[in-house]
Each structure stands twice: as structure tokens, then as C-alpha cells.
Amino acid sequence: MKLKNNFKLNTNIPASAQSDIAFLLIIFFIVTAIFFERTGIIFKLPEKSGKTLKLTAREFIEIKAYNDFLIINKEKIDYSEIYVVLEAMKRATKRNIAIVYFSDDLKYEKFINIFQAVKKAGDIKISIKPLDKK
Amino acid sequence: MKIEKQYKINIIVPFVTMADIAFLLLIFLIISSSTQKTPLLKLSLPESNQFDRIKKTGNVEIFVTPDNEVVYNKKKCDLGELRSILLPGKQCVISADKETDFKIIYKIIELLKENNYENLSFAVKRQTGVFSGK
């Protein structure tokens, strides 16, 4: 008697599923591309030919920036308090111009902390100067 | 008695899927090439919870390393060289390490003002949670 093996092994890869995988990967790439988006604090620079304002001490908020602390209008504060102090000072004095004098060794990160507080307080124009040119 | 093996293995490679794979590879290469602009620079950007999205096109990019080295157009240069090679533009993005001295950034800002730049973005890393100035 002759025995026959009649079952067939189907080794084809299901091609119809490939398009689904491709589609899912495209969605993944699109989503991750949004996560890679760059963020920054944006400021408008003054015009080169812009006029210089002459201000009295009562018209602006004076910030002296050091690596360990800040002096805002002669009041020594910590970096963690900057937003609260700036916001309170802006409300109380109605001043919306801040002049930041920075120390020679000030780190960029510290200045970004001041920038974000100024940005958060809103509607404050900022001028930057080195402390030794005060 | 002789038993015959009759099942056959189909060894055809499904060419239908090759187009999908090629397409996926193409997408991957496009995305990876556009996200890695400066692969040699390892910058630790400062964190901020106040940020805007930086436009991907039309920006002049300046990088500053923690050693206060300025990188422009993938070349290291000092501020004097930067003054001579800086292309005219409207908006500039400064990506600096948080340990960079701010006086270098200040000099770049002055240079940008001289060259009539209008907008300046300080690249930052998104900070999650409540405001915490360091």
C-alpha cells in the first residue's frame, strides 16, 4: 500500500499585512517628529537705528544678576523668588521696563531663568548691560 | 514499501512587500537627516517652562559650547570671524549650553543687533511641572 502525505505547507508571507505595518510606521514617524520640535524663548531685538530712552530710576526695575542671587531694586532675592518679586513689583510700581545688569561670570542658565520670569510676568521690556558698565 | 513525500515548499520571495520596505527606509532616512544638524555638538540646553515653537526654516543658527566656543555653519569661530561671516537674516536661534558664560551670548546679541536681526530665539528644553527658577 502506498501512503501519501497530502497536506501542503504554505510558506508565503502574508503580503496584505505589510501595508498595515507600513501605515503604522508612518504614523509613528509623524508622531515622533512632533516630539522633536524645537522650543525656545523668543525675543524681539531693538532696531539698530532705534532711539535711546532716558529713564529715571523710578521708571524701571533694576535687576543685578549674579550666579547665586539677584538684587532687584536693592532687594536681595533668590532665583526661586524672581517671578513672584517681579510680578509684585510690576503691579505695585506700574513699571514695565527692566534693566538687567549681569556679572562677568554669570552663567547662561541663570539668565534664562530671568528671561522666563520676565516672559511669564508679561509685557515687560528688557534691556541687558554688563555690570561693569553700570 | 516506498513512502513518497509530496508536500512542496514554496520559496518565492514576495516582491510586493519590497516597495513598502524601500518606502519605509526612505522615510526613515529623510527624518533622521533632518533632525541631526550638529551631530558632533553635545549641548545641555537650559530648561524653561516659558517657551515658543521655533520655526524650522529661515533661521540663522549659532551654537555655543560650554567652553565658550562659537560654532556657526558647522565651523568653530571666534566673535571676530563671526562678525565677518555672519549671513544677513531676520531671525536667529542661539543654542547654547547652560554652563556657557552669558557674556559671550551678550556679545552675539550685540552682533545680531548690528546686523539688523529682528527676532532672537534662545533654544531651551521644555520644563514640565510648576515654575521653578533655579
Side-chain angles (χ1 to χ4, degrees):
Chain A
M1 197 179 85
K2 193 177 177 183
L3 288 174
K4 280 188 180 178
N5 253 346
N6 268 329
F7 67 90
K8 276 188 176 179
L9 192 65
N10 188 5
T11 54
N12 280 340
I13 299 166
S16 57
Q18 295 288 311
S19 58
D20 293 339
I21 295 163
F23 189 59
L24 283 171
L25 278 167
I26 289 168
I27 291 169
F28 169 75
F29 281 133
I30 291 167
V31 170
T32 50
I34 292 162
F35 283 120
F36 284 136
E37 202 164 54
R38 296 180 68 200
T39 50
I41 303 178
I42 300 171
F43 275 84
K44 201 166 184 173
L45 289 169
E47 287 174 27
K48 191 182 172 184
S49 56
K51 59 181 179 181
T52 310
L53 284 175
K54 281 187 179 177
L55 300 167
T56 59
R58 286 185 175 186
E59 289 174 299
F60 64 88
I61 301 166
E62 185 189 73
I63 304 170
K64 288 179 186 172
Y66 300 89
N67 275 324
D68 301 323
F69 60 91
L70 291 156
I71 297 172
I72 299 185
N73 283 1
K74 294 174 184 174
E75 188 187 342
K76 189 178 173 181
I77 62 154
D78 191 69
Y79 271 89
S80 59
E81 303 167 305
I82 180 173
Y83 169 68
V84 180
V85 173
L86 204 62
E87 176 71 18
M89 209 163 275
K90 188 190 151 195
R91 276 189 196 171
T93 60
K94 308 276 181 200
R95 298 174 197 175
N96 65 346
I97 296 170
I99 300 178
V100 182
Y101 295 99
F102 65 92
S103 64
D104 196 52
D105 60 344
L106 188 79
K107 295 294 174 195
Y108 176 58
E109 183 187 26
K110 300 293 177 184
F111 205 84
I112 289 295
N113 285 329
I114 301 168
F115 266 25
Q116 71 172 359
V118 167
K119 192 97 175 166
K120 198 176 179 186
D123 196 32
I124 295 181
K125 289 175 184 169
I126 190 168
S127 173
I128 313 160
K129 282 181 179 182
L131 201 56
D132 53 18
K133 285 187 182 175
K134 190 177 181 292
Chain B
M1 193 176 78
K2 194 180 176 185
I3 299 171
E4 279 183 22
K5 278 186 180 176
Q6 287 217 342
Y7 62 88
K8 283 182 182 176
I9 296 172
N10 193 357
I11 51 162
I12 296 167
V13 180
F15 282 104
V16 185
T17 60
M18 296 301 273
D20 291 338
I21 294 163
F23 188 57
L24 284 172
L25 277 170
L26 191 70
I27 291 168
F28 172 73
L29 288 172
I30 291 166
I31 289 169
S32 59
S33 64
S34 61
T35 51
Q36 285 199 343
K37 279 191 172 177
T38 52
L40 295 173
L41 287 177
K42 281 185 181 175
L43 298 176
S44 176
L45 296 175
E47 289 185 9
S48 175
N49 62 357
Q50 295 293 310
F51 52 79
D52 303 291
R53 288 174 183 174
I54 296 173
K55 286 179 189 174
K56 285 181 179 175
T57 53
N59 289 323
V60 167
E61 294 238 16
I62 299 170
F63 300 89
V64 191
T65 67
D67 308 321
N68 299 323
E69 286 176 326
V70 181
V71 179
Y72 175 67
N73 272 348
K74 295 177 184 175
K75 284 176 191 170
K76 284 181 184 177
C77 56
D78 58 34
L79 289 166
E81 285 173 318
L82 184 65
R83 188 185 298 271
S84 58
I85 60 172
L86 186 68
L87 292 169
K90 296 281 178 195
Q91 46 200 19
C92 177
V93 180
I94 296 178
S95 301
D97 192 278
K98 59 186 179 185
E99 291 301 314
T100 306
D101 286 339
F102 183 72
K103 60 183 175 187
I104 304 294
I105 310 290
Y106 175 74
K107 283 172 186 169
I108 296 171
I109 295 170
E110 291 292 303
L111 199 62
L112 292 170
K113 278 199 295 190
E114 279 175 31
N115 284 280
N116 293 318
Y117 276 79
E118 289 173 4
N119 293 312
L120 172 61
S121 305
F122 295 104
V124 290
K125 211 162 42 175
R126 289 177 191 211
Q127 185 186 51
T128 49
V130 291
F131 176 80
S132 59
K134 284 174 192 171

